[in-house]
Amino acid sequence: MFYSNGFNSKRFIARRETFGLLVYDKKRAKIFIAKGVYSLDGIDKLVFADEKGERTRIEVSEVTLINSNLDLPKDFLFSPTYVEIYPIMNCNERCFFCYVGNSLTHRRMEMSGDIATATANRIGESGVLTTSILGGEPFLYNRLEKLAVNLHDNNTKVSVSTNGTVHNYELFKKLIKIEVGFNVSFHSHIPEIQNKIVKNSIGYNKTVATLKFLLNNTSTEYINVSIVANSLNYEKIPDTIRFLHEIGIDSVSIYHAQGAGFSVTNNLSRLGYFAWLEMMKEAISIGKELGVNVRSVTNYPFFVEKELGFSTDLGLSNFLYGTGDGRRTLYINYDGCIYPTSYNFPDNRLLLGNVIRDSILDIWQNSVILNYIRNASVPKDCKACRFFDICRGGPITNYDLSKYLGHKRIEPNCPIHSKNCIE
């Protein structure tokens, strides 16, 4: 383990990087940077900058520092800051934009106990700051409690992404005790639209019941609602935010659907970037008015640059911005296999290793595939774009991965460059 004792009682996790300290605030789910600071010795307070350049004063007594004497990589992070775990591919809904897509099944393809333990241990020993348990539907996974507890004991902040339709309230309570965060998918306050999107005739009622249960049993800081904007719901998303505010939700993430899985095969889900942008501007404005923290999740964050703010003054855009694939994030499947991206997930042509036999830290720092991705060429037009420092070339599918995937994209899948992305 790289962590010192006392992790779970402290609010901040700090990790040494080549540029200074990378700090994660467990309460606010934010990452801060202290450039040029490599030790907390003799310091009472630190002033950190987040990715928007905003300053926050932190009491050093509330920081757990990772103690590692290993050499730090120069051009990429010491280890992933975030890992997604897919312990089950069984799901009781079929959202038509799901990026996992055809990997979903009604069969029990799920992570064994040995692999779950190895996953948690590998994450702990590599100093990963945050993990998210997805699927499939995680609450259909029989070992969800064990996996979450093991991750928690291995000193990583844990969240679970759920559709909220599996009402295992006793399990909810056990996860609440270890401060698990809940990302609940809820795409419309209109029952008919919600149920049509998820293809579940009782999905709306079940998800709303889960939200109300969580609001009555844990702090709102551990609850986030995830909305995927699509052609069915985007015009009413501002009203959905109002509805969520009325029941007590104060944190909402709005996603632009990835160009993968069902989102590619189902034309019904296709939403132009500029239609998404206009909706996002209104949603952020309404969120500010109501006191709801509305966040944007998109491959092209420069769209909401003015609303959300990004600072290139930190000089760390290569670490902070653009796709996280291979640069901040890894993905672990139910069989323990590790991948660099969720696009076409899982794709064995990009297999990095397996938690049973391989160290995440060793993979991160020495993988030939990850090195190739980090140095892969992006479309020529991207480097000339004024948004490149923020965008970094967009999603990994824009990169030249022809060595592994057998194809090379000619033009970037970008709303500025490609008219195919614009309504």
Side-chain angles (χ1 to χ4, degrees):
M1 301 288 177
F2 293 119
Y3 289 96
S4 61
N5 293 329
F7 168 90
N8 290 321
S9 64
K10 295 185 178 182
R11 175 174 169 178
F12 301 96
I13 316 162
R15 197 173 80 185
R16 291 186 179 92
E17 299 289 351
T18 187
F19 52 78
L21 294 182
L22 190 69
V23 179
Y24 181 71
D25 182 344
K26 294 190 290 180
K27 185 174 181 180
R28 297 172 61 193
K30 292 185 69 173
I31 285 180
F32 297 91
I33 300 100
K35 289 185 66 176
V37 179
Y38 299 92
S39 173
L40 299 180
D41 295 341
I43 301 175
D44 295 324
K45 293 183 180 180
L46 279 173
V47 179
F48 290 91
D50 66 8
E51 63 180 10
K52 302 176 188 179
E54 296 176 355
R55 307 292 173 180
T56 298
R57 295 179 66 85
I58 296 175
E59 298 284 343
V60 169
S61 61
E62 285 298 308
V63 178
T64 297
L65 179 64
I66 295 174
N67 295 318
S68 172
N69 295 319
L70 298 179
D71 293 336
L72 297 174
K74 180 180 179 182
D75 299 320
F76 53 92
L77 295 174
F78 168 73
S79 68
T81 60
Y82 173 64
V83 170
E84 289 189 354
I85 306 170
Y86 295 77
I88 188 168
M89 285 302 177
N90 183 17
C91 190
N92 58 342
E93 293 188 336
R94 287 295 182 273
C95 303
F96 60 67
F97 45 72
C98 180
Y99 63 85
V100 177
N102 292 323
S103 294
L104 293 175
T105 176
H106 290 295
R107 294 182 290 116
R108 284 285 180 181
M109 300 168 63
E110 62 179 62
M111 186 175 279
S112 68
D114 289 344
I115 293 177
T117 299
T119 296
N121 291 340
R122 293 297 191 186
I123 285 173
E125 69 187 20
S126 63
V128 174
L129 302 179
T130 64
T131 55
S132 184
I133 303 172
L134 304 94
E137 169 48 49
F139 280 90
L140 295 174
Y141 177 49
N142 292 327
R143 300 179 182 88
L144 177 58
E145 179 187 358
K146 178 182 178 181
L147 176 60
V149 169
N150 283 349
L151 288 167
H152 175 267
D153 291 346
N154 274 281
N155 303 325
T156 183
K157 175 64 179 175
V158 185
S159 65
V160 177
S161 292
T162 174
N163 60 37
T165 62
V166 181
H167 288 171
N168 189 340
Y169 290 142
E170 288 305 310
L171 179 54
F172 274 118
K173 291 178 181 178
K174 291 176 181 178
L175 298 180
I176 287 169
K177 285 184 178 179
I178 58 171
E179 299 183 331
V180 165
F182 297 92
N183 295 312
V184 183
S185 297
F186 183 75
H187 310 291
S188 178
H189 67 293
I190 302 172
E192 295 78 12
I193 294 180
Q194 170 72 11
N195 293 342
K196 184 174 182 178
I197 288 172
V198 302
K199 298 184 179 180
N200 184 342
S201 61
I202 56 175
Y204 175 90
N205 290 335
K206 284 183 170 290
T207 302
V208 170
T210 292
L211 288 172
K212 291 181 177 179
F213 175 84
L214 291 173
L215 287 164
N216 288 330
N217 286 274
T218 189
S219 170
T220 56
E221 68 190 66
Y222 298 108
I223 308 169
N224 178 71
V225 169
S226 297
I227 301 172
V228 177
N230 58 78
S231 57
L232 287 182
N233 70 350
Y234 80 100
E235 292 180 325
K236 298 294 184 181
I237 283 178
D239 291 332
T240 300
I241 293 173
R242 292 187 179 95
F243 169 82
L244 292 170
H245 168 69
E246 289 174 1
I247 67 173
I249 297 295
D250 60 14
S251 178
V252 175
S253 298
I254 303 178
Y255 290 73
H256 189 275
Q258 291 191 36
F262 290 157
S263 182
V264 174
T265 57
N266 295 323
N267 290 329
L268 187 62
S269 68
R270 305 301 287 175
L271 178 65
Y273 279 95
F274 291 132
W276 180 87
L277 172 61
E278 291 306 310
M279 173 279 302
M280 198 67 225
K281 289 180 177 178
E282 184 179 358
I284 291 173
S285 176
I286 290 171
K288 290 180 179 179
E289 175 186 331
L290 299 176
V292 177
N293 182 18
V294 178
R295 292 186 294 272
S296 159
V297 184
T298 170
N299 289 319
Y300 300 102
F302 56 78
F303 265 126
V304 287
E305 178 189 9
K306 292 181 180 178
E307 286 73 24
L308 298 185
F310 289 86
S311 173
T312 55
D313 294 338
L314 297 172
L316 299 172
S317 56
N318 190 46
F319 294 97
L320 300 179
Y321 303 137
T323 178
D325 293 350
R327 295 169 59 239
R328 297 186 303 278
T329 310
L330 287 180
Y331 305 81
I332 301 177
N333 203 12
Y334 68 91
D335 55 3
C337 289
I338 305 169
Y339 298 91
T341 180
S342 60
Y343 282 89
N344 302 319
F345 179 80
D347 190 330
N348 285 331
R349 292 174 296 179
L350 295 175
L351 176 64
L352 302 178
N354 190 287
V355 295
I356 292 295
R357 63 179 181 272
D358 300 308
S359 159
I360 289 177
L361 194 61
D362 182 59
I363 287 173
W364 186 258
Q365 297 190 3
N366 299 300
S367 167
V368 174
I369 294 177
L370 287 181
N371 183 63
Y372 183 84
I373 290 173
R374 290 167 184 149
N375 294 284
S377 61
V378 299
K380 181 174 63 176
D381 290 351
C382 288
K383 292 185 177 180
C385 177
R386 65 189 179 94
F387 294 116
F388 182 70
D389 278 345
I390 296 173
C391 176
R392 311 302 297 176
I396 195 172
T397 50
N398 283 352
Y399 294 15
D400 177 9
L401 300 181
S402 54
K403 178 178 179 179
Y404 292 97
L405 300 184
H407 69 272
K408 181 177 180 180
R409 183 179 291 282
I410 304 301
E411 294 183 348
N413 174 25
C414 171
I416 286 180
H417 191 280
S418 173
K419 293 182 179 180
N420 292 329
C421 296
I422 304 172
E423 284 188 341

